[in-house]
Amino acid sequence: MAMIFDASSDQLTVSALQVCFNTVLIKILEANAKQHLASEGPEASGTKEDATQGWNETAIVEVEGIANLFSQWLDTHKGNRVVIAMCEDLFERYTLFLKRHVLNVSNTVFTGVTKILAEVENSESADKSLLLNKAWGLWKDANPASHADNSKRRTGNQDALTAYLHCLRELLRLFSQELRFEQTQTILKQLRVCVVESTATAYSVDVDRMTPVQGMVLEGIKSIPSNIPEIIPELVQSINGLATLAYEQESDPLGKKQTYIALSKAAMSLLDSCIISHIRSPGLDLIGIVSEAVNALAIPIHLKYNWKPEGKDPSPWSKATTTALSILEACMPAIQASHYAKQDNPQLWESIVRISDGIVAANYDACTNLADIPKDQESNIEFFSRIRKLVIPTLGSPSIPDTVRRKYAESIFKNSIIHEPHPDDLARPGQELLEGLRSTHIGRVNDLPPSPRSKMCYLLLDELFSLVAVHDGSPERIRLAQAAAPYLILRAGLTLKAYVMDHPLRGRMPQPWSQKKEMLYILRKLIELDSEPKAIPAAPGITSEHKKHLHRLYPLVLRALKAAWRDEEMMSALQEVLDAVGDDFGI
């Protein structure tokens, strides 16, 4: 029957097509639906599964054939309202087939709908708008992700989801800029379902390459019109979810689940372009979407070395870092130039500090390839240099809470540690930050290995000194110095105290070179530092302008000098510190 219509469709009038549709094609679809329903009933004869499967296979042939006919009719009779009306009626019938929730049937239905929509040039006329709304109703209510796979090969839902996403492509083309906000929300929700509920095909690995469904989902997001400001946060939130999806999954020891690693990296690129292209959009909460994006990207950054697999370069944490920096570098000038810059916006700065902390931190014990650490250290140093330009001195703004500045300083302090300190030298919960420097304990004589990221540690040590140093005396610089000063004193104090407690127990054994190098470096920096006058409270009975840090460390320096009587180089360096204190007193 289909072959007859196919061969003569261009010779039939619209009236003839309408008669054929109403008297033949509709009857075929109705008969199939009726028989399928009967095969599932209690009075069905034979094997229920076989009967149902048979009618599903017949439905596939019928739906595909009729869709081909309609695509030809639409091509031959472009814009004819009668043919459009028949398409609307056909889509109503397709609803019954989608309700079977069978993958191969759903695949055929959406393939047919796509083929028909492809022949519709636009949705300007009322008739075409009705057709588009009918197609939209089919699409939004019948995501095949959860439909059953009744095929013998059990190939999963990839083909059906691909057809479903091809249909969305045509819908977005026809909707153009007329897509409503509520429809956008529905599309983004269904796209995530497609990704999360898609089944991995045999012999496929999505670590280095996305699955077809994942790729089409990203293309679908790109195609969504962003003509109103309310849509942009929805797009960003959706992309954030895809970028972090890999890190929400439980590990699968058999490796059968999808990893979403390639999808995560691709989503990061999309996130970057999406935000940057809308920086100047009127009415957009730029601070809000940047904060959400940066918080999402902080997740893979903080999982550096802890997350496997990573796939081919760039690693997820490296890709997330470059994306976050790209977004911040592009958006911060616009944010600071807007009226929001003078308002309280701690959520953005908390996000930025989280990124900074993820850059400078690394659980190198979890790194499976130690050769990567020096290379990654170099890239992290470059990353930190970039984010520091964004942070300093703006982080000292009065609109940013002191707690955020302290988090930044604390992160710099922790990751500047070159040799692991004695646990008793660090303050316990509820104690003051410097309380551990006043404790006593038995020293250590074992060699402490330096951090594999010593170059980063020294860079952060310099950053601590720079934060406390006097600059231009601006309120921003003063706030930064006040936040960092306690951590600088603690950082120098830990090194001095370790020498005081450990070195006497070594006898004539020299101090390990890496520890000696660190201590000499810190002593030199302490002498050279002119600290911000308002950063450190004056010690009781002592007046000083730029050397208050030395007064706070003076007792430890004296004790270290007594322990260094066999090491002339160390004694000389410590004596210079005492001389600097004397010079400050004018003696």
Side-chain angles (χ1 to χ4, degrees):
M1 183 68 68
M3 293 178 62
I4 296 174
F5 286 135
D6 187 32
S8 59
S9 60
D10 58 341
Q11 303 172 18
L12 297 176
T13 64
V14 173
S15 298
L17 293 179
Q18 189 175 20
V19 172
C20 293
F21 176 69
N22 291 329
T23 59
V24 180
L25 300 182
I26 287 294
K27 300 300 182 184
I28 291 175
L29 296 178
E30 290 178 346
N32 186 283
K34 182 178 180 180
Q35 293 298 328
H36 178 270
L37 185 62
S39 69
E40 292 187 322
E43 299 180 356
S45 59
T47 305
K48 178 179 178 180
E49 290 77 9
D50 291 343
T52 302
Q53 179 69 13
W55 286 112
N56 284 335
E57 292 174 357
T58 303
I60 291 172
V61 175
E62 294 172 352
V63 169
E64 182 178 8
I66 294 174
N68 289 335
L69 288 175
F70 267 87
S71 65
Q72 293 179 24
W73 294 351
L74 284 168
D75 181 53
T76 303
H77 305 281
K78 292 186 181 298
N80 187 281
R81 60 189 309 273
V82 175
V83 179
I84 296 293
M86 287 192 292
C87 289
E88 296 171 21
D89 195 2
L90 177 64
F91 287 173
E92 285 282 354
R93 311 288 171 166
Y94 277 175
T95 303
L96 298 175
F97 293 90
L98 290 173
K99 287 182 178 179
R100 297 183 187 184
H101 292 179
V102 176
L103 281 173
N104 49 10
V105 175
S106 300
N107 181 5
T108 305
V109 170
F110 283 114
T111 300
V113 173
T114 302
K115 186 173 292 188
I116 292 171
L117 292 177
E119 298 297 332
V120 181
E121 294 180 356
N122 56 62
S123 59
E124 294 176 358
S125 69
D127 295 324
K128 290 180 181 178
S129 295
L130 289 174
L131 174 64
L132 185 55
N133 288 333
K134 291 285 186 182
W136 167 253
L138 284 176
W139 191 88
K140 73 181 181 66
D141 294 330
N143 189 325
S146 59
H147 293 183
D149 185 2
N150 292 342
S151 64
K152 294 180 180 179
R153 296 178 59 190
R154 302 287 178 181
T155 56
N157 60 13
Q158 290 281 315
D159 290 343
L161 288 174
T162 299
Y164 181 71
L165 294 169
H166 276 303
C167 185
L168 173 64
R169 181 184 300 172
E170 292 298 327
L171 286 170
L172 290 174
R173 177 183 66 84
L174 292 170
F175 274 121
S176 185
Q177 298 297 316
E178 298 174 2
L179 195 69
R180 300 190 304 274
F181 176 69
E182 297 78 10
Q183 290 176 308
T184 299
Q185 290 180 306
T186 300
I187 290 172
L188 293 174
K189 178 181 178 181
Q190 295 300 340
L191 288 178
R192 181 175 175 86
V193 171
C194 288
V195 172
V196 174
E197 298 297 331
S198 65
T199 53
T201 56
Y203 310 110
S204 67
V205 179
D206 68 337
V207 176
D208 293 327
R209 182 180 300 175
M210 290 186 290
T211 66
V213 167
Q214 292 171 0
M216 292 184 69
V217 164
L218 289 188
E219 288 300 320
I221 294 176
K222 291 179 186 178
S223 302
I224 294 176
S226 53
N227 53 316
I228 57 175
E230 290 84 356
I231 288 179
I232 301 170
E234 296 290 329
L235 291 174
V236 170
Q237 185 178 23
S238 180
I239 302 170
N240 287 343
L242 296 179
T244 59
L245 183 59
Y247 315 103
E248 300 172 8
Q249 310 302 306
E250 295 181 0
S251 59
D252 179 17
L254 299 179
K256 293 181 179 180
K257 291 182 179 179
Q258 296 176 96
T259 67
Y260 306 111
I261 295 297
L263 171 67
S264 175
K265 296 178 188 178
M268 292 176 195
S269 296
L270 179 57
L271 182 64
D272 186 11
S273 61
C274 179
I275 292 178
I276 291 178
S277 63
H278 292 101
I279 289 177
R280 304 296 177 183
S281 296
L284 178 66
D285 178 14
L286 188 58
I287 289 177
I289 67 168
V290 170
S291 299
E292 289 186 8
V294 171
N295 272 329
L297 293 168
I299 296 174
I301 295 175
H302 278 269
L303 289 172
K304 182 189 307 175
Y305 300 147
N306 291 329
W307 187 263
K308 302 295 183 296
E310 291 189 341
K312 63 182 180 181
D313 287 339
S315 62
W317 64 263
S318 179
K319 177 65 176 177
T321 306
T322 55
T323 303
L325 289 172
S326 174
I327 292 171
L328 290 171
E329 287 169 345
C331 295
M332 288 304 291
I335 291 174
Q336 292 171 353
S338 70
H339 68 281
Y340 292 110
K342 298 181 179 180
Q343 297 181 7
D344 187 16
N345 47 42
Q347 72 275 18
L348 174 61
W349 285 98
E350 287 174 359
S351 304
I352 295 174
V353 169
R354 283 193 68 201
I355 294 295
S356 174
D357 181 61
I359 289 172
V360 299
N363 179 17
Y364 44 79
D365 291 334
C367 183
T368 55
N369 184 7
L370 297 181
D372 289 340
I373 293 179
K375 176 189 66 175
D376 294 340
Q377 177 181 232
E378 292 298 327
S379 65
N380 285 171
I381 288 173
E382 190 266 331
F383 292 152
F384 177 71
S385 175
R386 289 170 62 183
I387 201 166
R388 186 187 182 279
K389 292 178 181 178
L390 298 172
V391 168
I392 306 300
T394 313
L395 189 59
S397 169
S399 65
I400 301 172
D402 290 335
T403 54
V404 178
R405 282 184 282 273
R406 286 197 293 269
K407 285 181 181 178
Y408 178 76
E410 182 182 13
S411 171
I412 300 300
F413 158 74
K414 286 183 177 179
N415 293 288
S416 73
I417 300 293
I418 301 171
H419 300 91
E420 184 179 358
H422 193 286
D424 288 347
D425 293 342
L426 297 173
R428 293 182 172 84
Q431 290 183 325
E432 294 182 2
L433 185 64
L434 302 178
E435 184 66 28
L437 295 181
R438 293 187 281 269
S439 68
T440 58
H441 56 77
I442 299 175
R444 299 172 293 182
V445 294
N446 57 308
D447 289 351
L448 298 173
S451 166
R453 289 163 58 93
S454 292
K455 188 175 180 180
M456 172 66 83
C457 294
Y458 277 105
L459 175 69
L460 298 179
L461 191 55
D462 288 345
E463 174 67 1
L464 265 183
F465 278 96
S466 176
L467 287 171
V468 179
V470 62
H471 289 277
D472 55 11
S474 64
E476 289 80 9
R477 281 291 185 178
I478 292 173
R479 293 187 190 93
L480 286 170
Q482 290 171 336
Y487 292 101
L488 175 63
I489 293 172
L490 176 60
R491 178 65 182 85
L494 289 174
T495 301
L496 285 167
K497 187 179 177 185
Y499 186 83
V500 168
M501 304 303 294
D502 300 348
H503 195 61
L505 300 180
R506 295 190 176 99
R508 294 184 178 274
M509 292 181 62
Q511 184 184 19
W513 168 241
S514 63
Q515 291 177 260
K516 184 174 183 178
K517 175 186 174 183
E518 177 188 359
M519 186 160 171
L520 290 173
Y521 187 84
I522 287 178
L523 292 175
R524 174 55 54 193
K525 297 289 289 187
L526 288 172
I527 294 169
E528 295 173 350
L529 175 64
D530 285 335
S531 57
E532 167 59 46
K534 297 181 181 179
I536 305 171
I542 297 176
T543 302
S544 175
E545 187 173 9
H546 296 305
K547 298 296 181 182
K548 293 178 184 177
H549 58 284
L550 292 182
H551 300 153
R552 294 292 179 178
L553 293 167
Y554 186 76
L556 282 173
V557 174
L558 282 179
R559 293 171 65 187
L561 187 63
K562 294 178 182 178
W565 62 278
R566 285 194 178 98
D567 190 334
E568 293 185 6
E569 184 179 16
M570 188 63 71
M571 285 188 66
S572 176
L574 289 164
Q575 188 61 54
E576 287 187 49
V577 176
L578 295 182
D579 291 343
V581 175
D583 291 342
D584 191 50
F585 286 152
I587 57 176

